[in-house]
Amino acid sequence: MAVDQLIVRYGEISLKGHNRSDFEKILAHNVQRALRAFEGVRVERIGGRISVHLAGNPAEPVTREVCRVFGVVSVSPVERTELSVEALTAAALAAARQAVLSSEQVATTFKVDVRRANKRFPIPSPELAALLGGRILEEIESLRVDVHHPHLTVYVEVRDEGGFVYASKYAGLGGLPVGSSGRVGLLLSGGIDSPVAGWLAMKRGVELEAIHFHSFPFTSERALQKVEDLAQVLANWGGRVRLHVVHFTEVQTEIRKHCPDELSITVMRRMMLRIAERLATQWRLKALVTGESLGQVASQTLDSMKTINAVTNLPILRPLVTEDKVDIMRRAREIGTYDISILPYEDCCTIFVPKSPRTKPKIDEAERAETSLDVEKLVEDAVAQTEQKMFKAQVQRTL
Ligand code: ATP
Ligand code: MG
């Protein structure tokens, strides 16, 4: 099958009016950006879907790349033909063969779906469907007709520009295009959870700015490298991710010196949120995302969350709040962050782990524990010393 174009479908039918057109523009832009390694590829918006002109590039790697773009529901490689029965038949046969090859069922059922927008083409849709269906039945033995519940459908569109024929459909990730929901700050540790949380937030259309708290020399350069590698993987999915590295050593040292051991994690988290909130104002981030999952550790009980949250008015998104660890780990493997996350370098939270952290810290207790800290100055200094680094999607090297 001589594929020269992809049809890209998207969902979220609830989107209307302005929103819909913004959504389409952003999605088309993101698809074009994801395909920049493929010379000459052109992305076009037409009537409720996106069309990718391959310009001689092979369909398979381009399809794979498009399926990874958030917001894409499915992709079909399409053959364009001239408007003659012979050409349409050849294309329909080729498309059906290809679909049978990639189908899991050995014997399978099909139908031909014809749409004739170009009424100058002399054969009406039902007759053309019967004619093409008959030819497919003759040529491909394993196929039977089922017009109600076919395993595969050969689509034939007869348009002014020519015939469009396709039968294969590859599933995309769904979601919303990155950039359609605004920018948020992801609290990115080197662990398994927060990169997955960031990925899920991106899938709902947010652009990520990662914020990492680094406590050099308590935590090593390699621990930071790990976080940079995670930011790179997230950028490969979402186009780009800016990483803010907060120097957190001073804050941690002060907490250790002045705060009761069993409340140190609570206070540390509150300091993280205060600093993140300040960065959010500076960089115009609308919310913060964390990898917290209910009950996973002492600082992730509802009581803890309440006390930690009390320092900020920003919405805190917790995409993993109801997820089990095994499911989070599976997702981490799928998106390519797991192997980086399990590297053994220490995190700033693991170095000062108290013997028995409070699981139900109260707000007034946390406030009392903070009285001997110069909170405002610590926050200000940490924000002033924060460094930024941009990660952009890497062009695939395997083409
Ligand atoms: P993760 O696997 O994401 O590290 P975790 O199960 O280890 O999560 P915690 O260590 O309690 O859980 O951290 C909870 C959340 O706090 C993390 O998911 C992350 O969003 C944020 N966080 C923790 N440590 C850091 C850090 N050093 N820098 C930025 N954010 C952090
Ligand atoms: Mg962690």
Side-chain angles (χ1 to χ4, degrees):
M1 176 181 186
V3 175
D4 40 28
Q5 189 176 327
L6 307 180
I7 287 179
V8 181
R9 299 177 198 83
Y10 43 87
E12 301 293 339
I13 41 181
S14 57
L15 290 170
K16 294 202 183 80
H18 252 328
N19 281 346
R20 179 157 200 119
S21 125
D22 286 352
F23 175 103
E24 288 168 347
K25 259 185 237 158
I26 296 170
L27 182 60
H29 174 265
N30 292 357
V31 169
Q32 182 85 59
R33 185 175 57 187
L35 298 179
R36 70 196 182 292
F38 300 93
E39 215 168 310
V41 163
R42 196 164 50 79
V43 176
E44 191 186 11
R45 291 192 287 140
I46 34 162
R49 60 196 195 191
I50 288 172
S51 180
V52 175
H53 301 272
L54 292 173
N57 288 281
E60 202 180 290
V62 178
T63 303
R64 219 180 308 128
E65 210 52 51
V66 176
C67 283
R68 280 171 53 106
V69 176
F70 294 119
V72 169
V73 170
S74 67
V75 180
S76 291
V78 177
E79 178 168 352
R80 273 185 74 156
T81 70
E82 56 180 63
L83 286 180
S84 69
V85 172
E86 297 74 42
L88 290 171
T89 307
L93 272 170
R97 275 206 187 92
Q98 177 67 41
V100 168
L101 279 179
S102 55
S103 161
E104 275 152 26
Q105 277 114 352
V106 183
T108 193
T109 55
F110 84 106
K111 75 169 181 181
V112 179
D113 180 304
V114 175
R115 295 199 186 160
R116 188 176 58 128
N118 176 354
K119 300 295 180 202
R120 278 169 318 207
F121 188 75
I123 308 176
S125 304
E127 286 168 37
L128 184 58
L131 195 150
L132 296 174
R135 290 285 291 133
I136 292 171
L137 271 178
E138 277 169 30
E139 295 281 332
I140 308 177
E141 281 185 355
S142 62
L143 283 181
R144 283 179 296 116
V145 174
D146 180 345
V147 289
H148 300 297
H149 305 287
H151 291 133
L152 71 94
T153 303
V154 179
Y155 293 92
V156 177
E157 298 179 10
V158 177
R159 296 201 224 151
D160 293 342
E161 315 91 276
F164 290 68
V165 180
Y166 56 95
S168 304
K169 212 182 225 188
Y170 299 90
L173 292 165
L176 300 171
V178 170
S180 62
S181 302
R183 270 187 314 176
V184 304
L186 166 69
L187 272 63
L188 180 63
S189 71
I192 293 171
D193 304 333
S194 45
V196 176
W199 187 89
L200 286 169
M202 268 199 294
K203 183 164 182 276
R204 290 311 296 173
V206 303
E207 204 174 311
L208 284 187
E209 304 243 342
I211 301 172
H212 177 67
F213 297 87
H214 183 55
S215 297
F216 189 78
F218 302 128
T219 53
S220 63
E221 283 303 324
R222 296 177 79 176
L224 181 58
Q225 182 60 49
K226 195 173 141 177
V227 172
E228 294 190 0
D229 292 346
L230 289 169
Q232 181 62 60
V233 174
L234 291 173
N236 290 346
W237 283 102
R240 59 179 194 179
V241 170
R242 187 185 283 116
L243 173 66
H244 304 257
V245 178
V246 181
H247 295 274
F248 204 50
T249 318
E250 176 71 11
V251 176
Q252 282 202 302
T253 313
E254 286 295 294
I255 292 174
R256 197 170 189 195
K257 248 194 263 171
H258 299 294
C259 303
D261 202 37
E262 69 276 13
L263 284 167
S264 59
I265 297 276
T266 309
V267 173
M268 185 183 78
R269 289 260 180 268
R270 282 160 62 94
M271 292 305 290
M272 282 184 177
L273 278 192
R274 288 181 175 115
I275 294 165
E277 184 182 63
R278 205 66 67 86
L279 288 170
T281 311
Q282 201 176 333
W283 293 85
R284 280 182 274 122
L285 314 178
K286 293 180 179 168
L288 298 174
V289 180
T290 75
E292 288 165 300
S293 164
L294 192 56
Q296 204 185 78
V297 290
S299 60
Q300 299 180 19
T301 64
L302 288 175
D303 297 279
S304 266
M305 284 185 191
K306 178 178 174 186
T307 299
I308 291 166
N309 259 30
V311 299
T312 177
N313 287 320
L314 273 181
I316 311 259
L317 311 181
R318 299 183 178 86
L320 303 177
V321 75
T322 60
E323 293 284 303
D324 293 343
K325 193 74 182 186
V326 283
D327 297 323
I328 300 172
M329 282 161 64
R330 181 171 29 81
R331 179 84 78 176
R333 284 195 198 91
E334 283 165 9
I335 66 174
T337 55
Y338 185 80
D339 289 340
I340 304 171
S341 290
I342 58 168
L343 292 173
Y345 313 117
E346 65 297 325
D347 180 43
C348 74
C349 307
T350 48
I351 49 174
F352 295 138
V353 180
K355 275 181 224 77
S356 49
R358 290 286 306 279
T359 53
K360 295 183 174 180
K362 299 235 162 40
I363 294 180
D364 60 337
E365 286 175 319
E367 285 170 350
R368 233 175 297 130
E370 287 167 354
T371 47
S372 28
L373 294 181
D374 190 344
V375 170
E376 180 51 34
K377 179 158 187 336
L378 286 171
V379 170
E380 222 168 76
D381 288 353
V383 170
Q385 287 172 41
T386 299
E387 290 171 78
Q388 280 74 30
K389 188 167 178 181
M390 188 59 116
F391 293 85
K392 292 191 171 156
Q394 285 163 334
V395 169
Q396 275 207 355
R397 308 255 171 251
T398 53
L399 304 179

